Amino acid sequence: MRVAIVGLGLIGGSIARAVAQRRDWPVSAWDPDAAALRSAARAGLVRPLPDARSAVEAADLVVLAAPPLANLDLVDALGPLVASRRVTLTDVSSTKVAILARAEAVAGLRFVGGHPLSGREQAGFGASSADLLAGRPWVFVAGRSARPGDLARVRALARGCGARPVRLDDPDLHDRAVALISHLPLVVSAALAETATTALDWSAARGLAAQGFASSTRLARGDPALGAGIVATNAGPLASELRRLVAVLEGWATELEALAPAAAGLDSPAAGEQVERLERRLAAVRQRLLAELRLP
């Protein structure tokens, strides 16, 4: 299978590194960042291409690995050429409704939406690694004109990167799901950082910040352009989940405000009951996470 990658950032670069280990899959690539393209070529990972259109002519499977909004433009620019050459087109965008809708507007485009669920706060080719996607789910959602062979190519790419292919038939379900487990944490991380760094006591607090604050704000330290594209293309589902989160936070605030007057005398029976209620609530959340998720 000949693979062409358009975009050699964190995900595209990691795909290039993983696929390059397979000697039977020639890999070509293009990136507007000439330095990233040179680095990948010098490492022997890819054959460099002069432009994005050349990727379609060089491959059986073209992977759009640019940021989400750029990938939408690439579907418009490359879609007709891809359809005419019967090449399979896929992407790595974190949302699927918008890009599948864009792909459906191109007659005969054999598009399979893809989403490898992995990443880190560092961006760019220099942060990529051959094992970034290993063991991680790689969702794919078939477009209307996709054929079994197109699905097989994308599934093979995922497995070639060590990922676990997961097929979903409903792009709306995908976007609602990732709004919960990926995009909501991003906005919460940014909101926490905004809240902390604009507080009156930030000058004292920043010298005390340790692992808890660092891990909670890790997503906010990611690529701003990538983050903006992700949340913009999933604005509706994300806004709904944010409203639900606000209601949960309001409940926490109400409970803590009831405890605050008794904080100086936490050994009183009334305060003890409130503390026990907080412990039960935290224990229930902890148990749910431990029972239902496999987290590091």
Side-chain angles (χ1 to χ4, degrees):
M1 182 169 68
R2 298 174 303 156
V3 178
I5 304 170
V6 180
L8 288 171
L10 175 65
I11 300 299
S14 295
I15 293 173
R17 292 182 188 278
V19 174
Q21 297 176 354
R22 296 183 56 105
R23 300 302 179 186
D24 56 336
W25 286 4
V27 184
S28 54
W30 176 80
D31 192 290
D33 182 350
L37 188 57
R38 282 195 302 270
S39 295
R42 286 173 184 161
L45 303 176
V46 303
R47 177 173 67 90
L49 298 171
D51 52 51
R53 290 180 65 85
S54 299
V56 181
E57 301 168 359
D60 305 303
L61 174 65
V62 177
V63 183
L64 302 182
L69 298 179
N71 278 343
L72 293 177
D73 293 336
L74 285 166
V75 170
D76 293 338
L78 303 181
L81 179 59
V82 171
S84 68
R85 297 182 67 89
R86 299 182 180 178
V87 172
T88 304
L89 184 66
T90 190
D91 75 310
V92 299
S93 303
S94 297
T95 55
K96 295 277 72 79
V97 170
I99 198 164
L100 276 161
R102 195 70 64 94
E104 300 298 343
V106 181
L109 179 58
R110 292 161 58 169
F111 181 76
V112 179
H115 179 198
L117 282 94
S118 186
R120 52 172 59 110
E121 63 270 24
Q122 296 89 357
F125 179 75
S128 63
S129 65
D131 62 351
L132 181 71
L133 308 176
R136 304 301 302 158
W138 187 317
V139 176
F140 61 99
V141 185
R144 193 163 43 230
S145 298
R147 301 176 182 180
D150 302 309
L151 298 176
R153 284 173 174 170
V154 177
R155 190 181 290 111
L157 177 68
R159 288 176 174 155
C161 294
R164 176 169 53 87
V166 178
R167 179 171 180 176
L168 288 179
D169 294 322
D170 185 351
D172 292 284
L173 174 60
H174 169 274
D175 285 8
R176 293 196 306 271
V178 295
L180 277 172
I181 53 90
S182 181
H183 307 163
L184 183 63
L186 169 60
V187 175
V188 170
S189 178
L192 173 60
E194 289 173 330
T195 302
T197 57
T198 57
L200 291 176
D201 295 329
W202 173 242
S203 59
R206 66 184 179 186
L208 306 176
Q211 288 90 341
F213 186 76
S215 60
S216 297
T217 57
R218 179 182 68 82
L219 296 176
R221 300 194 299 275
D223 182 353
L226 176 62
I230 289 172
V231 300
T233 54
N234 205 19
L238 180 54
S240 297
E241 296 307 330
L242 278 170
R243 293 294 181 192
R244 291 181 61 240
L245 176 63
V246 167
V248 173
L249 291 174
E250 287 288 354
W252 274 97
T254 298
E255 194 159 351
L256 294 174
E257 286 168 347
L259 178 60
L266 288 176
D267 54 349
S268 68
E273 291 177 5
Q274 289 175 303
V275 171
E276 289 177 4
R277 187 164 59 248
L278 289 173
E279 183 176 349
R280 288 196 298 272
R281 184 170 183 175
L282 290 170
V285 171
R286 178 179 184 273
Q287 183 59 37
R288 196 175 309 137
L289 290 174
L290 292 175
E292 299 182 9
L293 293 179
R294 296 177 180 177
L295 295 176

